[in-house]
Amino acid sequence: QLQLQESGPGLVKPSETLSLTCTVSGGSISSKNYYWGWIRQPPGKGLEWIGAVHYDGRNYFNPSLKSRVTISVDTSKNQFSLKLSSVTAADTAAFYCARLGLWFRDIDPWGQGTLVTVSS
Amino acid sequence: QSALTQPASVSGSPGQSITISCTGTSSDVGGYNYVSWYQHHPGKAPKLMIYDVSNRPSGVSNRFSGSKSGNMASLTISGLQAEDEADYYCSSYTGRSTLVFGGGTKLTVL
């Protein structure tokens, strides 16, 4: 059974870079049929797609975040990571990592999510 | 990219049926059959309920069904149960190789 688990700091200072890692267990991240992505949910708001990466390095981003986002894959560790630069309080959110099907047709499974607060 | 449009809230009594709409454009919902629906109970991971407009993953109750007409997709839940109370989100692939979510709909079971 494939499982994903987010890890990283729960508190980040404004203007700094938010860094999260997703560890995949129960299956390989090196599958040509899937992408690995990040979704966030600010408190009291809806879900927002951040971006996704394929194990071969292809990546796709939400246009509104593209200039600040990096998503990378480490196949040796079966992990993928998110970096969001120049964060502000508006970036405070629960961050979820997940597996996405081709054409992002489905998102399953999801990690449990991790809350990241941007505050000095 | 603009979020897909969903009603903020819907409600129904146990046993009834409800439908949640998800309106997009010809560049997303109307252009591709890659619409999916997610159930989200606060504090938990979202759960895939429908993919490719109308397909149910293994293990999802057949009380959940999806459809699409033009630029609008719909999720119907029949035989409402108390445990169906949750937030529901639609999503769609877009022509720019991105994904867009709806704003979410809070379902209340009366």
Coordinates of all heavy atoms in Angstrom, one line a residue, chain A residues 39 41 45-49 60-63 96 100 102-108 110-112, chain B residues 1 34-36 38 40 43-48 51-52 89 93 96-99 101-103:
Chain A
I39 N 0.1 20.2 -2.9 CA -1.2 20.9 -2.8 C -1.2 21.6 -1.4 O -0.7 21.0 -0.5 CB -2.4 20.0 -3.0 CG1 -2.4 19.3 -4.3 CG2 -3.7 20.7 -2.8 CD1 -1.9 17.8 -4.3
Q41 N -3.5 24.2 1.5 CA -4.8 24.7 1.9 C -4.6 25.7 3.0 O -4.3 25.4 4.1 CB -5.7 23.6 2.4 CG -7.1 24.1 2.8 CD -8.0 23.0 3.2 OE1 -7.6 22.0 3.8 NE2 -9.3 23.1 2.9
K45 N -9.6 28.2 3.9 CA -9.7 28.4 2.4 C -9.7 27.0 1.7 O -9.6 26.0 2.4 CB -8.6 29.3 1.9 CG -8.7 30.7 2.4 CD -7.7 31.6 1.7 CE -7.9 33.1 2.2 NZ -6.9 34.0 1.5
G46 N -9.8 27.1 0.4 CA -9.8 25.8 -0.4 C -8.4 25.3 -0.8 O -7.4 25.9 -0.4
L47 N -8.5 24.2 -1.5 CA -7.2 23.6 -2.0 C -6.6 24.4 -3.1 O -7.4 24.9 -4.0 CB -7.5 22.1 -2.4 CG -8.1 21.2 -1.4 CD1 -8.4 19.9 -2.0 CD2 -7.1 21.0 -0.3
E48 N -5.3 24.4 -3.2 CA -4.6 25.1 -4.3 C -3.5 24.2 -4.7 O -2.6 23.8 -3.9 CB -4.0 26.4 -3.8 CG -3.3 27.1 -4.9 CD -2.7 28.5 -4.5 OE1 -2.3 28.6 -3.3 OE2 -2.7 29.4 -5.3
W49 N -3.5 23.9 -6.0 CA -2.4 23.0 -6.6 C -1.1 23.9 -6.7 O -1.2 25.0 -7.2 CB -2.8 22.5 -8.0 CG -1.9 21.7 -8.7 CD1 -1.5 20.4 -8.4 CD2 -1.1 22.0 -9.8 NE1 -0.6 19.9 -9.3 CE2 -0.3 20.9 -10.2 CE3 -1.0 23.1 -10.6 CZ2 0.5 20.9 -11.3 CZ3 -0.2 23.1 -11.7 CH2 0.6 22.0 -12.0
Y60 N 5.8 20.8 -13.6 CA 4.7 21.7 -14.0 C 4.3 22.4 -12.8 O 4.2 21.9 -11.7 CB 3.5 20.9 -14.6 CG 3.9 20.0 -15.7 CD1 4.3 18.7 -15.5 CD2 4.0 20.5 -17.1 CE1 4.7 17.9 -16.6 CE2 4.4 19.7 -18.1 CZ 4.8 18.4 -17.9 OH 5.2 17.6 -18.9
F61 N 4.0 23.7 -12.9 CA 3.7 24.5 -11.8 C 2.4 25.4 -12.0 O 2.1 25.7 -13.1 CB 4.9 25.5 -11.5 CG 6.2 24.8 -11.2 CD1 7.2 24.9 -12.1 CD2 6.3 24.0 -10.1 CE1 8.4 24.2 -11.9 CE2 7.5 23.3 -9.9 CZ 8.6 23.5 -10.8
N62 N 1.8 25.7 -10.9 CA 0.7 26.7 -10.9 C 1.3 28.0 -11.3 O 2.3 28.5 -10.7 CB 0.2 26.9 -9.4 CG -1.0 27.8 -9.4 OD1 -1.1 28.8 -10.1 ND2 -2.0 27.4 -8.5
P63 N 0.8 28.6 -12.4 CA 1.4 29.9 -12.9 C 1.5 31.0 -11.8 O 2.5 31.8 -11.9 CB 0.4 30.3 -14.0 CG -0.3 29.0 -14.4 CD -0.4 28.2 -13.2
Y96 N 0.1 19.4 1.5 CA -0.1 18.0 1.3 C 0.8 17.5 0.1 O 0.9 18.3 -0.9 CB -1.5 17.7 0.9 CG -2.5 18.0 1.9 CD1 -3.2 19.2 2.0 CD2 -2.9 17.0 2.9 CE1 -4.2 19.4 2.9 CE2 -3.8 17.2 3.9 CZ -4.5 18.5 3.9 OH -5.4 18.7 4.8
L100 N 0.0 11.9 -8.4 CA -1.0 12.4 -9.4 C -0.8 11.5 -10.6 O 0.3 11.1 -11.1 CB -0.7 13.8 -9.9 CG -1.0 14.9 -8.9 CD1 0.0 15.0 -7.8 CD2 -1.2 16.2 -9.6
L102 N -1.4 10.5 -14.8 CA -1.1 11.2 -16.0 C -2.3 12.2 -16.3 O -3.4 11.9 -16.0 CB -1.0 10.2 -17.1 CG 0.2 9.2 -17.0 CD1 0.2 8.2 -18.2 CD2 1.5 9.9 -16.9
W103 N -1.9 13.3 -16.8 CA -2.9 14.4 -17.1 C -3.5 14.9 -15.7 O -4.6 15.5 -15.7 CB -4.0 14.0 -18.1 CG -3.4 13.7 -19.4 CD1 -3.0 14.6 -20.3 CD2 -3.2 12.4 -20.0 NE1 -2.5 13.9 -21.4 CE2 -2.6 12.6 -21.2 CE3 -3.5 11.1 -19.5 CZ2 -2.3 11.5 -22.1 CZ3 -3.2 10.1 -20.3 CH2 -2.6 10.3 -21.6
F104 N -2.9 14.5 -14.7 CA -3.4 14.9 -13.3 C -4.8 14.5 -13.2 O -5.6 15.2 -12.5 CB -3.2 16.4 -13.1 CG -1.8 16.9 -13.5 CD1 -1.7 18.2 -14.0 CD2 -0.7 16.2 -13.2 CE1 -0.4 18.7 -14.3 CE2 0.6 16.6 -13.5 CZ 0.7 17.9 -14.1
R105 N -5.2 13.3 -13.8 CA -6.5 12.9 -13.8 C -7.1 12.5 -12.4 O -8.3 12.4 -12.2 CB -6.6 11.7 -14.8 CG -5.9 10.5 -14.3 CD -5.5 9.6 -15.5 NE -6.7 9.2 -16.3 CZ -6.5 8.6 -17.5 NH1 -5.4 8.3 -17.9 NH2 -7.6 8.3 -18.2
D106 N -6.1 12.1 -11.5 CA -6.5 11.8 -10.2 C -5.4 12.1 -9.2 O -4.2 12.1 -9.6 CB -7.0 10.3 -10.1 CG -5.9 9.3 -10.5 OD1 -4.8 9.8 -10.8 OD2 -6.2 8.1 -10.6
I107 N -5.7 12.3 -8.0 CA -4.7 12.5 -6.9 C -5.0 11.5 -5.9 O -6.0 11.6 -5.1 CB -4.8 13.9 -6.4 CG1 -4.8 15.0 -7.5 CG2 -3.7 14.2 -5.3 CD1 -5.0 16.4 -7.0
D108 N -4.1 10.5 -5.8 CA -4.3 9.4 -4.8 C -3.1 8.5 -4.8 O -2.6 8.1 -5.8 CB -5.5 8.6 -5.3 CG -5.8 7.4 -4.3 OD1 -6.1 7.7 -3.1 OD2 -5.8 6.3 -4.8
W110 N -2.9 10.7 -0.8 CA -2.4 12.0 -0.3 C -1.6 11.7 1.0 O -1.9 10.7 1.7 CB -3.5 12.9 0.0 CG -4.4 13.3 -1.1 CD1 -5.2 12.5 -1.9 CD2 -4.7 14.7 -1.5 NE1 -5.9 13.3 -2.8 CE2 -5.6 14.6 -2.5 CE3 -4.3 15.9 -1.0 CZ2 -6.1 15.8 -3.2 CZ3 -4.8 17.1 -1.6 CH2 -5.6 17.0 -2.7
G111 N -0.7 12.5 1.3 CA -0.1 12.5 2.7 C -1.1 13.1 3.7 O -2.1 13.6 3.3
Q112 N -0.8 13.0 4.9 CA -1.7 13.5 6.0 C -1.7 15.0 6.0 O -2.6 15.6 6.6 CB -1.3 12.9 7.3 CG -1.8 11.5 7.5 CD -3.3 11.4 7.5 OE1 -4.0 12.1 8.2 NE2 -3.8 10.5 6.6
Chain B
Q1 N -4.5 31.3 -13.4 CA -5.6 30.5 -13.7 C -6.7 30.7 -12.6 O -6.4 30.7 -11.4 CB -5.2 29.0 -13.9 CG -4.6 28.4 -12.6 CD -4.0 27.0 -12.9 OE1 -3.8 26.6 -14.1 NE2 -3.8 26.2 -11.9
Y34 N -10.9 14.9 -17.7 CA -10.0 14.7 -16.6 C -10.5 15.5 -15.4 O -9.7 16.3 -14.8 CB -8.6 15.0 -16.9 CG -8.0 14.2 -18.0 CD1 -7.3 14.7 -19.1 CD2 -8.2 12.8 -18.0 CE1 -6.8 13.9 -20.1 CE2 -7.7 12.0 -19.1 CZ -7.0 12.6 -20.1 OH -6.5 11.8 -21.1
V35 N -11.7 15.3 -15.1 CA -12.3 16.0 -13.9 C -12.4 15.0 -12.8 O -12.8 13.8 -13.0 CB -13.8 16.5 -14.2 CG1 -14.4 17.1 -12.9 CG2 -13.7 17.5 -15.3
S36 N -12.0 15.4 -11.6 CA -12.0 14.5 -10.4 C -12.6 15.2 -9.2 O -12.7 16.4 -9.2 CB -10.6 13.9 -10.1 OG -9.7 15.0 -9.9
Y38 N -13.0 15.2 -4.8 CA -12.3 14.8 -3.5 C -13.2 15.2 -2.4 O -13.9 16.2 -2.3 CB -11.0 15.5 -3.4 CG -10.1 15.2 -4.6 CD1 -10.1 16.0 -5.7 CD2 -9.3 14.0 -4.6 CE1 -9.4 15.6 -6.8 CE2 -8.5 13.7 -5.7 CZ -8.6 14.5 -6.8 OH -7.8 14.2 -7.9
H40 N -13.1 15.9 1.7 CA -12.2 16.3 2.7 C -12.8 16.5 4.0 O -13.6 17.5 4.2 CB -11.4 17.5 2.2 CG -10.3 17.9 3.0 ND1 -9.7 19.2 3.0 CD2 -9.5 17.1 3.9 CE1 -8.7 19.2 3.9 NE2 -8.5 18.0 4.4
G43 N -8.9 18.1 9.0 CA -7.8 17.4 9.7 C -7.4 16.1 9.2 O -6.5 15.5 9.7
K44 N -8.0 15.7 8.1 CA -7.6 14.4 7.4 C -7.1 14.7 6.0 O -7.3 15.8 5.5 CB -8.8 13.5 7.4 CG -9.3 13.0 8.8 CD -10.2 11.8 8.7 CE -10.6 11.3 10.0 NZ -11.5 10.1 9.9
A45 N -6.6 13.7 5.4 CA -6.1 13.8 4.0 C -7.4 13.7 3.1 O -8.3 12.9 3.4 CB -5.2 12.6 3.7
P46 N -7.4 14.5 2.1 CA -8.5 14.4 1.1 C -8.5 13.0 0.5 O -7.5 12.4 0.4 CB -8.1 15.5 0.0 CG -7.3 16.5 0.8 CD -6.5 15.7 1.8
K47 N -9.7 12.6 0.1 CA -10.0 11.3 -0.5 C -10.5 11.4 -1.9 O -11.5 12.1 -2.1 CB -10.9 10.5 0.4 CG -11.2 9.1 -0.1 CD -12.3 8.4 0.8 CE -12.7 7.1 0.3 NZ -13.7 6.4 1.1
L48 N -9.9 10.7 -2.8 CA -10.4 10.6 -4.2 C -11.7 9.9 -4.2 O -11.8 8.7 -3.8 CB -9.4 9.9 -5.1 CG -9.8 9.7 -6.5 CD1 -9.9 11.0 -7.3 CD2 -8.8 8.7 -7.2
Y51 N -12.9 10.0 -10.6 CA -11.9 10.5 -11.5 C -12.3 10.3 -13.0 O -13.3 9.5 -13.2 CB -10.5 9.8 -11.3 CG -10.5 8.3 -11.6 CD1 -10.1 7.9 -12.9 CD2 -11.0 7.3 -10.7 CE1 -10.1 6.5 -13.2 CE2 -11.0 6.0 -11.1 CZ -10.6 5.6 -12.3 OH -10.6 4.2 -12.6
D52 N -11.7 11.0 -13.9 CA -12.1 10.9 -15.3 C -13.6 11.1 -15.4 O -14.3 10.4 -16.1 CB -11.7 9.5 -15.9 CG -10.3 9.4 -16.1 OD1 -9.5 10.3 -15.8 OD2 -9.8 8.3 -16.5
Y89 N -14.3 18.9 -3.2 CA -13.6 19.7 -4.2 C -13.6 19.0 -5.5 O -13.3 17.8 -5.6 CB -12.1 20.0 -3.8 CG -12.0 20.8 -2.5 CD1 -12.0 20.2 -1.3 CD2 -11.9 22.2 -2.6 CE1 -11.9 21.0 -0.1 CE2 -11.7 23.0 -1.5 CZ -11.7 22.4 -0.2 OH -11.6 23.2 0.9
Y93 N -7.9 19.0 -15.2 CA -6.6 19.3 -16.0 C -7.0 20.5 -16.9 O -8.1 20.7 -17.3 CB -6.3 18.0 -16.8 CG -5.1 18.2 -17.7 CD1 -3.8 18.2 -17.2 CD2 -5.3 18.4 -19.1 CE1 -2.7 18.3 -18.1 CE2 -4.2 18.5 -19.9 CZ -2.9 18.5 -19.4 OH -1.9 18.6 -20.3
R96 N -2.9 24.0 -20.3 CA -1.6 24.5 -20.1 C -0.8 23.5 -19.2 O 0.2 24.0 -18.5 CB -1.6 25.9 -19.5 CG -2.2 26.9 -20.4 CD -2.5 28.2 -19.7 NE -3.6 28.0 -18.8 CZ -4.0 28.9 -17.9 NH1 -3.4 30.1 -17.8 NH2 -5.1 28.7 -17.1
S97 N -1.2 22.3 -19.2 CA -0.5 21.3 -18.4 C -0.4 21.7 -16.9 O 0.6 21.5 -16.2 CB 0.9 21.0 -18.9 OG 0.9 20.5 -20.2
T98 N -1.5 22.2 -16.4 CA -1.7 22.5 -15.0 C -3.0 21.9 -14.5 O -3.8 21.3 -15.2 CB -1.7 24.0 -14.7 OG1 -2.8 24.6 -15.4 CG2 -0.4 24.6 -15.3
L99 N -3.1 22.0 -13.2 CA -4.3 21.5 -12.5 C -5.0 22.6 -11.8 O -4.3 23.5 -11.2 CB -4.0 20.4 -11.5 CG -5.1 19.7 -10.8 CD1 -5.9 18.8 -11.7 CD2 -4.6 18.9 -9.6
F101 N -8.3 23.6 -9.1 CA -9.3 23.1 -8.1 C -10.5 24.0 -8.1 O -10.4 25.2 -8.5 CB -8.8 23.0 -6.7 CG -7.9 21.8 -6.4 CD1 -6.5 21.9 -6.4 CD2 -8.5 20.6 -6.2 CE1 -5.7 20.9 -6.1 CE2 -7.7 19.5 -5.9 CZ -6.3 19.6 -5.8
G102 N -11.6 23.5 -7.7 CA -12.8 24.3 -7.4 C -12.6 24.9 -6.0 O -11.7 24.5 -5.3
G103 N -13.4 25.9 -5.7 CA -13.3 26.6 -4.4 C -13.8 25.8 -3.2 O -13.5 26.2 -2.1

